Amino acid sequence: MIYLIRHAQSIANINGRAASHASIDLTDYGHQQAESLAKQLPIADRIFISPFIRTLQTAQPIVQRDGVQPEVLEIQEFSYLSDARCQNTTLEERKPFVDAYWAQANPDYKDAEDAESFAEFYQRVMDFSGILSGLRDHYQVKNLMVFSHGQFLTLFKLIVFEHRALSTDLMHKFRDQMIHHSIKNAEFFIYS
């Protein structure tokens, strides 16, 4: 089976200051959630994580339990705001930048050179869905654990399960999902 798992609660999830998109640690509660996942999920034959530390920290109890070295793939969060501009800010402080970005609803817009357009994000998720599609038959009996992020997994669901194409409408749908039906920390689902 292929398990897609959102990272456990991070400092940024509780409005803490984030030095960079990639370096956000889990909270104490997040570490408890990660331990709980190791009790809920079956033995992992293979583990994918993003380059962001919070996915490694979430996977760590399973990595230790099963002795599997995680593989780093480009399945990180959608970094649509400049990392440099967001350094050492809270969610609340980033809110004006976030609102301005989503008000444009332009798939090709980039906030800065160190940010990603929605079109680039969409392509990353498409590329990963192709990888998983190729692995699906292999993981009917064995278990692949994928530790990723809420935004990445939300777009994955919209593309794979709802067959949504890149468009302004998809951006609106994605944003609505993130606000009203977000994937919770340490929540997981099975891709089959």
Side-chain angles (χ1 to χ4, degrees), residues 46-62:
R46 192 172 185 186
I47 297 172
F48 293 161
I49 61 171
S50 85
F52 289 10
I53 190 70
R54 53 198 181 272
T55 60
L56 174 60
Q57 291 174 333
T58 304
Q60 200 61 44
I62 292 175

Side-chain angles (χ1 to χ4, degrees), residues 33-42 61-62 65:
Q33 288 179 311
E35 291 290 342
S36 180
L37 280 170
K39 293 173 184 164
Q40 296 174 58
L41 293 170
I62 292 175
R65 181 193 73 185

Side-chain angles (χ1 to χ4, degrees), residues 125-186:
V125 176
M126 284 291 292
D127 292 345
F128 183 66
S129 71
I131 290 169
L132 283 195
S133 181
L135 293 173
R136 192 170 15 191
D137 289 343
H138 185 72
Y139 289 98
Q140 293 301 311
V141 177
K142 294 183 176 187
N143 295 313
L144 168 61
M145 307 293 171
V146 178
F147 292 87
S148 187
H149 303 261
Q151 292 181 346
F152 191 94
L153 295 174
T154 296
L155 188 56
F156 179 88
K157 283 181 155 185
L158 290 169
I159 291 171
V160 173
F161 301 143
E162 297 187 20
H163 310 290
R164 300 277 183 148
L166 179 61
S167 66
T168 300
D169 286 343
L170 175 61
M171 282 191 81
H172 290 302
K173 174 72 173 174
F174 171 81
R175 185 67 176 151
D176 181 70
Q177 288 289 108
M178 289 303 303
I179 292 170
H180 301 292
H181 307 287
S182 64
I183 297 169
K184 294 176 178 33
N185 293 115

Side-chain angles (χ1 to χ4, degrees), residues 3 6 15 19 22 31 43 51 84-85 87 93 122 126 131 146 154 158 162 178 184-185 191:
Y3 293 83
R6 183 183 176 194
N15 204 32
H31 285 288
I43 300 298
R85 184 168 49 154
Q87 283 185 348
E93 290 166 345
Y122 179 89
M126 284 291 292
I131 290 169
V146 178
T154 296
L158 290 169
E162 297 187 20
M178 289 303 303
K184 294 176 178 33
N185 293 115
Y191 171 68

